[in-house]
Amino acid sequence: MEAVRVLSGVNTPCNSFPNSVRAKFSNGRVSRQVGFAPLWRLRRRRRNVGLCLRLTGSVLGEGDESGVGLGGSSRDRDDDGVDRIQIQTQTTQSSGVDQKKKKKKKKQQLEKGLILGTERDGSGSVIGFHLIPPSGEIELSDSHEDAVIDEVRETEDIGGEETPQTRATYNVVFVTAEAAPYSKTGGLGDVCGSLPIVLASRGHRVMVVSPRYLNGSTADKNFAGAVDAGSCIKVHCFGGVQDVAFFHEYREGVDWVFVDHPAYHRPGNPYGDIYGAFGDNQFRFTLLCHAACEAPLVLPLGGFTYGEKCLFLVNDWHAGLVPVLLAAKYRPYGVYKDARSILVIHNLAHQSVINSEASKPGKSGEMVHLVTESLGVEPAATYKNLGLPSEWYGALGWVFPTWARTHALDTGEAVNILKGAVVTADRILTVSQGYSWEITTVEGGYGLQELLSSRKSVLNGITNGIDDVDWDPSSDRHIAVHYSAEDLSGKVQCKIALQKELGLSARPDCPLIGFVGRLDYQKGIDLIQQAIPEILQDDVQFLKSSSMFQVMLGSGDPQYEDWMRATESAYKEKFRGWVGFNVPISHRITAGCDILLMPSRFEPCGLNQLYAMRYGTVPVVHGTGGLRDTVENFNPYAREGHGEGTGWTFSPLSKDVMLSALRVAIRTFREHKSSWKGLIKRGMQKDFTWETAAIQYEQVFEWAFVDPPYVS
């Protein structure tokens, strides 16, 4: 066996892990450990290959604390293949008879030493260590010796299960184009309106930086609680100097900071109006990024600034300039040298703009997926407007493929802000594990797949959570009758109430199918359009907002809105459509339907299937992205015939395969009531709360601080 000797108070240099492990040993028990926390369940890969461990410790005497050296070590391998290092403690006491007796007594008690067990992944790589005293008991005590990395504590609840507690506290700065309830157009607003509150409740100091949109509508009252922070900065960009102010509201433990500038004061939503995307979106969100970098330094919120040691969570291309600014504008001058940035990709498709023809189906029937919602890609000549040093152009430089160029003389050269964020961010997250893989493929990468593949070691996916207070069938103020997994009687009453509200026959035995979402190509609305005649041949109802009866709720492409109205006219007893998004109606459809249909071509996360399962509505979804991650395919033969699964996933994406899955679901609803009830209950018992997601975010926060920040 190989002897290892670790001296007290001596720290072995380690570039890979700047936070040392500090342990205190008392009577053979670990009484405190700081740093090098047990890793999250996902396998961890890092750019730096080496692995180092630093230990300092002390053996506590009876009533006093003594210095300690960790000596006499030996290494062995157990039968199970786990490496163990036997560390025997030796005390370094002052002279005296009593001290010698204590030393002898302690040495006898700890003669067996402490076990340092290594934890390995599937490839055999060491990913963690466990300090195990001879008794096998580990005791962790409260400690706040590190300003950023606190101790790891795991406690047991009444049921005996381990409940992970906050093991690290950070100054977290969200940068986002929207945050509910202040501004929202989709899932991005939900995430940035909910996750910060949960992180704050877990002990982090959290700031959310977003524009102060004023459009002259009733939505302006959302900012009524925000007051002028009394701080104004000057942003040098777009060939001039822009005066930017900050407004602030402290709510639910979070500092909500709103960037104020005339560019955010206009009719429309955050990105455009009835005429399309705003032509100056690059300018508007460049201002946001510059202001977000200054806010932690200049705003004394609660009497103290956030300071330089921040963790920036930048969301989509709108905030993508933040990690570039940190690396190019601040770190060269010693500012934000200890800060980190994490890019959160909610939808990779929202990065580009080219001519309108490129967003329509081609001759082969395939869709060219460069969308026209946002202006994240602009001509190369606009680089000088971003307020970056000229030598940083390479980080944002982008060349469109030949087929996507507007004319024969177009060189395709552009700047892509999201590409710059992918290059310079310390870590990258997507909103589901499945989507984190999809964006590295040709089909899902939108031109960035090779770059994202090169950063796989820092790429992870975390499924979004849902607001389990707002979306709770036992207390939802929007639905007719409350119910729960223990008492499902109210769900049938919600179905009958919905049928009556929409003018359909009140038939509890008739499958009611729903669709809620945008009426566009991504959501698979064209497949539903093709399949509706065959679907409605059966005794069903369909709701499209969306119903089977079919109900559809949604808004989007005018051609699909017109088709929805025509279908309702042709199938008056079976089909209902609702054009436009309505929150109360979406809750009632989710509660009242039996089946939710989601044939999305791609879905980074998807929230409607999570809402559906929470309300006992069984999802039938295309197996892509977050849909595949969250919907477990039904298997009636598992668990000795009791069944498992929460819905149906189908693949490949086609009308016939979708209809096949839908017909199996309808048949199960009609002929196998016990199986259907099991599907409902298993879905309602799933945990998709933000608390679960926040724990996983915290692990990625820790990983972000393991390696040095991006500098060049």
Side-chain angles (χ1 to χ4, degrees), residues 192-223:
C192 295
S194 300
L195 179 58
I197 295 173
V198 176
L199 289 174
S201 71
R202 294 179 60 80
H204 305 280
R205 190 181 185 196
V206 183
M207 176 196 301
V208 179
V209 183
S210 183
R212 181 172 177 255
Y213 300 111
L214 299 178
N215 57 23
S217 70
T218 56
D220 292 354
K221 66 182 181 182
N222 293 334
F223 298 95

Side-chain angles (χ1 to χ4, degrees), residues 557-568:
D557 194 319
Q559 67 170 320
Y560 293 125
E561 294 181 3
D562 295 340
W563 162 77
M564 200 161 67
R565 295 186 182 96
T567 304
E568 182 175 334

